Amino acid sequence: MARKIMFKDAINEAMRLEMERDESVFLIGLDVAGGAGTATLDKERDSWGGVLGVSKGLYPLFPDRVIDAPISESAYIGAAVGASACGMRAIGELMFSDFMGVCFDQLYNQAAKFRYMFGGTAVTPVTIRTMIGAGFSAAAQHSQSPYSMFAHVPGLKCIIPSNPYDAKGLLAASIQDDDPCVFFEHKALYTMKGEVPEEHYVIPLGKANVVREGNDVTIVALGRMVQFAEKAAKKLAKDGIECTIIDPRTISPMDWDAIYSSVEKTGRLVVVDESYDVCGVASDVVGHVTQDVFGALKAAPQMVTAPFVPTPFAANLEAAYLPDPAKIEAAVRKTIQAKCAATVA
Amino acid sequence: MKTQLSKEDLLKAYRKMREIREFEDRLHKEFATGTVPGFVHLYSGEEAVATGVCEHLNDLDRIASTHRGHGHCIAKGVDIMGMMAEIYGKKTGTCGGKGGSMHIADLDKGMLGANGIVGAGPPLIAGAALASKLRKDGSVGVVFFGDGASNQGTNFESMNMAVTLDLPMIFVLENNGYAESTSPNYSAKVGTGNIADRARGFGMPAVTVDGNDFFAVYEAAGEAIERARKGGGPTYIECKTMRYFGHFEGDAQTYRPKNEVKEARVNDCPLNRFVAAVTSEGLVDAAELEAIDKDVLALVEKSVQEAKAAPQPDLADLMTGVYVSY
Ligand SMILES: Cc1ncc(C[n+]2csc(CCOP(=O)(O)OP(=O)(O)O)c2C)c(N)n1
Ligand SMILES: [Mg+2]
């Protein structure tokens, strides 16, 4: 059995291994070493290793390639893009995905479009790592999961790991990938432990993971929502309702084959996303499934998402805001009870 | 020391500073017990900045604040009971429990909100100043921001726009020596060591003052605000100060020299310096200041007790207040 490590350590390990393998890989972000300009920073030790310690220990190993940036997201995320367009393979850490607004042009008009605009000649192998997720009383500007805004842009790849094993393999794949990748790390998963091999490995981008197999309902769940879906599925299994859980792992590219073939088997679909159902991943999955495998559906697909409001601060409101196993269970039961108009008629 | 402040003004300013210190020190203690939710960034040590500036302002003047916003709120006159309840996420809070520490706002007081986005304030206050200019109401806009935030593009763009449009706007830089763990010696390398020199390059008056000296801040702010009110355009004031706690509550502060805060608390505390200045010249009796201390202690105690006892928001509140109409 492989050793168990935390999600954040898996991310750290993936960065370390890629930096060891490839000298063009570097990390730039706020306080990714920490203590820059103070007496505490020396080449023997970093001070913080990132605000939550995700890059701890990397600075002493790669003092020239772990770079603290001024609080200038537009400039340093843009520089990660620019350096990557010039032969480097940058990892830009955007501390919270909520800060995307400060630097978005560099990603959606620049990194995403170079290759197409330049007639297929440009290669921009940048990886942006960024935190997502509510559940910490961090309120409306530090709790969002805005990945659908990135996934909406042709030219960007969007990766959302749900466990330590995937985090390591998907981050390695993202860093090695020649396209701009945005890698979303749910802060509630950082301390999640799981089996992670010590050696280097990659998980291909665009391949979903079938977390659990069952014949009655297909649940598509993202990031932290995978755990919630598993809880709901276990409970439902006691009542004889067997769920397949599909973790797409990347939402751009999306593994439609995996989702379609499961829905063709089960005829029922529930999509669970911590973000909104307005122009989001959940509505996107439901839309594609409805368009492409409509004939297989035995019931109307259901979406379990956050309501269309900013993330509230108060604990009781935030709990009501977030999807949870009970909401997923209820949605699954609804698909079991409902009859699809198409089959009734 | 020369000051034009009346005794009443001095007592008022002292009360504000004491309120900020007591509020923040108390939150530090409460946070350690695990009862305070969310990210909390405390302002202890920087009281003279918010107070020295806001003592010149009225409710029509707008300020924008930062993630470290409690001090600006108190200095601008936001109700302490409501603030504490907000930080505890309660229905009785300034924002009904929806915003928390990082988003306390009171628009009636001209307080446009603490802010979770570093560098978000300068453009907003450029807008407040532009509105004032268009309405010709004589009000000013003041943006507080840190040494870290001084590196944000929004800051540079706003400096240029404030000069271009001749806006009644004051940039107040709170240089406390750290942006999280990063020193401005690294991230804001201005040859002279004074970040304010950047502003001069944009063509506006800029000063660097001792931010732990209430009177120095008060004087610089007074001059800048008067100029702005008269149509004289923007000013940049850099206040050198220190935060006494971690970047956020729970920060182990491994990047910091051990005695830095201890020594500052003894030698350079803005409240102690204020007390020494006003009592040594007989402007105010020590007893009057002590009476304020007692008052403030009781007020903060009451705010914590009431915040803890207050009800959570109603679940129906989750869906309200997103749009005016939808
Ligand atoms: C756009 C953006 N980038 C990064 C952060 C994370 N962050 C919050 S406070 C902070 C440091 C700010 O330093 P400074 O401006 O000096 O203010 P201080 O904390 O010292 O008061 C950082 C990096 C953020 N909230 N917003
Ligand atoms: Mg600072």
Side-chain angles (χ1 to χ4, degrees):
Chain A
M1 196 176 89
R3 86 219 134 111
K4 287 193 167 181
I5 61 172
M6 281 193 267
F7 186 92
K8 70 179 172 120
D9 297 327
I11 289 168
N12 182 292
E13 197 164 276
M15 290 195 286
R16 175 170 62 73
L17 291 174
E18 292 311 311
M19 288 170 93
E20 275 170 8
R21 287 162 36 94
D22 181 347
E23 288 201 340
S24 68
V25 177
F26 71 95
L27 170 68
I28 186 164
L30 302 181
D31 304 274
V32 289
T38 72
T40 60
L41 185 76
D42 57 50
K43 297 210 167 176
E44 304 300 307
R45 68 184 191 109
D46 46 13
S47 177
W48 263 22
V51 71
L52 298 180
V54 176
S55 47
K56 190 85 195 143
L58 296 181
Y59 176 77
L61 294 174
F62 314 102
D64 299 330
R65 290 193 279 148
V66 175
I67 303 169
D68 277 335
I71 309 177
S72 313
E73 280 86 357
S74 204
Y76 85 77
I77 294 293
V81 170
S84 300
C86 297
M88 300 299 284
R89 212 169 263 281
I91 307 168
E93 183 180 290
L94 177 62
M95 193 183 286
F96 287 77
S97 58
D98 312 63
F99 309 159
M100 63 180 267
V102 183
C103 60
F104 201 40
D105 184 71
Q106 296 292 325
L107 296 174
Y108 102 112
N109 272 323
Q110 311 305 325
K113 297 184 171 61
F114 285 163
R115 188 165 178 81
Y116 190 79
M117 292 190 303
F118 303 164
T121 54
V123 180
T124 311
V126 67
T127 297
I128 305 301
R129 291 181 36 241
T130 189
M131 275 193 273
I132 54 169
F136 290 83
S137 297
Q141 294 175 342
H142 285 76
S143 303
Q144 300 173 80
S145 296
Y147 32 69
S148 67
M149 292 199 231
F150 293 84
H152 193 65
V153 182
L156 298 181
K157 292 179 179 170
C158 297
I159 299 96
I160 310 173
S162 68
N163 62 68
Y165 178 86
D166 285 0
K168 181 173 169 185
L170 290 168
L171 183 55
S174 301
I175 295 169
Q176 286 176 26
D177 196 89
D178 280 339
D179 290 311
C181 291
V182 190
F183 190 87
F184 297 93
E185 301 167 7
H186 199 299
K187 28 191 173 318
L189 296 180
Y190 275 147
T191 53
M192 175 190 188
K193 280 197 157 178
E195 286 184 21
V196 177
E198 280 175 56
E199 66 273 12
H200 177 269
Y201 63 95
V202 294
I203 295 173
L205 305 182
K207 279 267 159 282
N209 181 29
V210 180
V211 178
R212 177 190 180 102
E213 287 200 79
N215 288 327
D216 299 321
V217 181
T218 301
I219 305 177
V220 175
L222 289 174
R224 185 189 187 198
M225 297 300 114
V226 174
Q227 308 182 343
F228 291 1
E230 285 184 272
K231 277 201 184 129
K234 272 187 202 141
K235 183 123 183 272
L236 287 157
K238 288 188 188 140
D239 290 343
I241 301 171
E242 294 298 341
C243 300
T244 289
I245 299 176
I246 295 183
D247 171 5
R249 299 197 286 206
T250 66
I251 57 168
S252 178
M254 181 69 100
D255 187 350
W256 294 115
D257 287 348
I259 295 173
Y260 291 173
S261 62
S262 174
V263 172
E264 274 164 353
K265 225 165 39 189
T266 63
R268 297 183 181 88
L269 174 66
V270 172
V271 190
V272 191
D273 182 6
E274 186 177 324
S275 193
Y276 308 115
D277 66 356
V278 180
C279 301
V281 179
S283 51
D284 198 49
V285 171
V286 168
H288 278 84
V289 166
T290 309
Q291 173 184 281
D292 295 341
V293 281
F294 185 71
L297 288 172
K298 298 177 192 156
Q302 297 296 311
M303 296 187 265
V304 182
T305 62
F308 194 46
V309 301
T311 313
F313 172 69
N316 65 329
L317 298 186
E318 192 178 25
Y321 167 91
L322 277 171
D324 61 25
K327 291 175 189 168
I328 299 169
E329 187 190 332
V332 168
R333 289 188 190 280
K334 205 166 164 191
T335 65
I336 297 286
Q337 285 149 13
K339 283 250 178 316
C340 182
T343 54
V344 174
Chain B
M1 184 198 72
K2 273 219 293 267
T3 175
Q4 285 147 8
L5 285 159
S6 67
K7 180 172 170 182
E8 202 188 347
D9 289 339
L10 289 171
L11 291 175
K12 191 166 145 262
Y14 178 74
R15 179 181 293 270
K16 286 278 177 239
M17 289 203 286
R18 180 56 68 192
E19 283 174 353
I20 297 170
R21 175 65 58 90
E22 193 59 42
F23 191 92
E24 299 293 65
D25 284 5
R26 180 61 185 267
L27 267 177
H28 176 73
K29 284 194 199 124
E30 294 296 330
F31 193 92
T33 67
T35 55
V36 182
F39 296 139
V40 177
H41 308 81
L42 300 178
Y43 195 72
S44 289
E46 308 186 28
E47 295 86 352
V49 181
T51 311
V53 173
C54 290
E55 284 301 292
H56 294 284
L57 304 178
N58 59 57
D59 290 354
L60 276 185
D61 298 320
R62 306 310 209 286
I63 69 166
S65 167
T66 67
H67 54 287
R68 199 176 303 290
H70 306 163
H72 308 132
C73 290
I74 292 174
K76 197 70 172 61
V78 181
D79 173 48
I80 283 182
M81 305 297 290
M83 284 178 61
M84 193 63 90
E86 186 60 34
I87 290 164
Y88 277 86
K90 297 304 180 70
K91 180 147 181 94
T92 51
T94 325
C95 309
K98 284 178 169 177
S101 165
M102 257 193 296
H103 306 298
I104 300 175
D106 187 341
L107 303 179
D108 292 338
K109 293 280 176 198
M111 197 317 176
L112 301 191
N115 211 309
I117 304 299
V118 168
L124 298 174
I125 286 301
L130 179 59
S132 157
K133 195 178 164 188
L134 294 171
R135 280 197 309 257
K136 301 187 175 58
D137 64 8
S139 68
V140 299
V142 177
V143 56
F144 293 94
F145 58 96
D147 44 284
S150 79
N151 292 320
Q152 202 61 285
T154 48
N155 224 306
F156 293 90
E157 293 175 23
S158 300
M159 282 197 269
N160 187 47
M161 204 167 78
V163 171
T164 301
L165 303 182
D166 216 11
L167 298 176
M169 166 170 187
I170 326 296
F171 294 82
V172 179
L173 161 57
E174 305 179 310
N175 185 346
N176 62 8
Y178 297 96
E180 295 189 342
S181 72
T182 300
S183 159
N185 297 333
Y186 169 83
S187 68
K189 283 197 190 88
V190 180
T192 56
N194 295 331
I195 297 174
D197 288 345
R198 288 174 172 172
R200 239 167 259 131
F202 282 91
M204 76 176 94
V207 287
T208 297
V209 301
D210 176 350
N212 298 331
D213 176 356
F214 168 82
F215 297 98
V217 176
Y218 183 83
E219 193 179 316
E223 214 174 275
I225 291 166
E226 198 185 319
R227 181 164 49 238
R229 286 200 204 285
K230 288 183 178 154
T235 303
Y236 195 101
I237 304 172
E238 173 179 16
C239 304
K240 296 225 162 135
T241 182
M242 179 170 299
R243 69 164 148 79
Y244 286 174
F245 296 118
H247 170 63
F248 47 73
E249 287 309 278
D251 171 10
Q253 304 190 69
T254 44
Y255 50 87
R256 231 173 165 178
K258 281 247 154 17
N259 289 324
E260 186 176 67
V261 172
K262 225 193 238 163
E263 282 164 18
R265 277 185 187 272
V266 175
N267 302 323
D268 200 17
C269 163
L271 280 95
N272 291 348
R273 286 177 63 183
F274 183 96
V275 171
V278 296
T279 54
S280 69
E281 308 218 358
L283 299 170
V284 173
D285 290 342
E288 288 172 288
L289 299 175
E290 280 159 25
I292 290 177
D293 292 352
K294 256 175 108 178
D295 257 20
V296 170
L297 190 70
L299 173 68
V300 170
E301 172 66 31
K302 184 161 172 249
S303 74
V304 172
Q305 296 315 332
E306 290 196 8
K308 286 182 175 171
Q312 292 189 309
D314 301 326
L315 283 181
D317 296 349
L318 175 63
M319 301 305 293
T320 63
V322 183
Y323 297 95
V324 175
S325 67
Y326 194 64

